[in-house]
Amino acid sequence: MPPDPPAPAPAPAPSSVAALGPGDRIAGAYACIRKDRSQGRSGPYLSLDLRDRTGTIPARIFKDVDRLDAAFQRGDVVQVAGTVDRYREELVAELTTVKRLDPATIDPTQFLPTAYRDLDELDGFLEGLAGEVGDAGFGGLLHELLVDEGLRRRWRLAPCTIGGHHSYLGGLLEHTVAVGALAQEACVHHPGLNRDLLLTACIVHDLGRTREFTYAAEIGRTEQGEMLGHVELGLRIIAEPARRAGVDETRWMHLAHCVLTHHGPERAGGRFRSAEAATLHRLNALDATIKDALEHGLGNG
């Protein structure tokens, strides 16, 4: 299991990119999202792009190039110092020091895109959805998950994808609440659905995302995320809490089937075995499609 998201490390307040101007000092921690080595008239130099949550600024390193080139890579968070000037109508930072920071000591929300919606409010909606589940076993499972403080922190932090829908910190929580809200409406219009099963499945269907990603200058994937994927990881997360909560074998099979098939029935013999599984699949795709269109446009399709 990956470690809980780290608490922000104490550090001097950085110069926010948005506030920088010609002649300013730049000092603080930034994400290095581009790093190239080039050859100029006076010798080699490094060309970088540095990012914080307010913007991006290009930077150059002209002195001690070989040593600093070996000290960090693209994708690292680095502590820098230097000065800002204007070059060809663009602000550029000339750096004198660059030091790679340990990823375990950084707060990824300082460098990565974050949900616009208030995460405390989304947490409240999540708890409200869980509170509507009346089945003792499923309700006990959700309680086990919601009182796990480490899981809750990772739930708030994780995106849903890298480069797709909800591809920002907090995206998982936002998507989970949206799918759950859609399920509530579906149950109003289709009272034959097992409301407790469907709501529980909506809440847990993407929990594997909490173990799928790494966070530094960019969002990456853990080894288990690459090798197992979020569906298998999600089933592993909920299996033991479900046992402790007394979820019987029949209920577990129905819930696991919903999780397994939320991207389609291929992992369960090529067909849905319950209306709830088919509903979750459609609601998950609906929210993902709408969000993707709003974030990235409709493309050419």
Side-chain angles (χ1 to χ4, degrees):
M1 180 185 299
D4 293 343
S15 314
S16 70
V17 168
L20 291 170
D24 287 345
R25 290 279 299 168
I26 181 172
Y30 302 85
C32 177
I33 60 173
R34 181 180 65 86
K35 177 188 175 187
D36 295 314
R37 183 179 176 120
S38 302
Q39 186 68 32
R41 293 181 180 179
S42 302
Y45 68 94
L46 299 179
S47 178
L48 319 174
D49 282 341
L50 302 177
R51 181 181 67 198
D52 66 11
R53 61 183 173 186
T54 72
T56 302
I57 186 170
R60 305 288 184 268
I61 299 173
F62 295 106
K63 297 180 180 179
D64 207 7
V65 172
D66 289 338
R67 182 180 68 83
L68 292 178
D69 189 14
F72 71 99
Q73 300 297 328
R74 174 188 175 275
D76 287 337
V77 174
V78 291
Q79 187 82 22
V80 308
T83 57
V84 177
D85 207 342
R86 190 177 297 278
Y87 177 71
R88 294 181 179 175
E89 303 305 314
E90 181 180 44
L91 292 178
V92 179
E94 183 173 335
L95 305 180
T96 55
T97 63
V98 182
K99 178 183 177 183
R100 178 184 181 272
L101 296 179
D102 182 347
T105 67
I106 68 168
D107 175 9
T109 64
Q110 299 300 309
F111 312 102
L112 296 170
T114 304
Y116 290 107
R117 295 189 64 182
D118 182 84
L119 294 180
D120 290 335
E121 181 182 52
L122 289 170
D123 258 338
F125 284 136
L126 179 67
E127 292 173 359
L129 288 169
E132 294 193 14
V133 174
D135 179 86
F138 288 149
L141 164 62
L142 295 177
H143 175 76
E144 291 266 350
L145 299 173
L146 293 178
V147 298
D148 183 334
E149 294 183 1
L151 177 61
R152 291 294 291 273
R153 286 193 294 271
R154 294 190 294 274
W155 211 334
R156 287 170 63 102
L157 184 67
C160 274
T161 63
I162 299 175
H165 72 93
H166 298 87
S167 55
Y168 44 77
L169 303 185
L172 172 60
L173 184 57
E174 187 178 308
H175 173 62
T176 301
V177 168
V179 175
L182 290 170
Q184 288 178 306
E185 291 298 315
C187 289
V188 170
H189 296 288
H190 301 283
L193 288 168
N194 183 327
R195 179 186 179 89
D196 289 342
L197 170 61
L198 181 57
L199 280 178
T200 303
C202 288
I203 291 170
V204 306
H205 79 281
D206 262 349
L207 266 184
R209 301 290 191 188
T210 63
R211 296 185 182 178
E212 185 177 13
F213 302 111
T214 61
Y215 310 97
E218 299 173 303
I219 299 171
R221 280 195 170 86
T222 62
E223 184 178 16
Q224 58 184 336
E226 291 279 9
M227 297 186 72
L228 300 178
H230 75 282
V231 175
E232 172 62 25
L233 291 174
L235 288 174
R236 293 186 177 198
I237 289 171
I238 65 174
E240 177 57 24
R243 185 195 64 78
R244 292 196 302 266
V247 176
D248 62 38
E249 182 63 21
T250 298
R251 284 176 172 79
W252 171 252
M253 285 193 301
H254 279 276
L255 180 61
H257 178 72
C258 289
V259 174
L260 279 171
T261 60
H262 75 266
H263 284 300
E266 293 76 17
R267 295 189 62 176
R271 56 176 290 202
F272 294 112
R273 303 287 173 165
S274 71
E276 292 76 22
T279 302
L280 173 58
H281 169 61
R282 294 297 185 183
L283 297 182
N284 178 68
L286 174 61
D287 184 58
T289 300
I290 293 171
K291 192 65 174 178
D292 193 52
L294 292 172
E295 290 175 350
H296 306 294
L298 297 175
N300 298 317

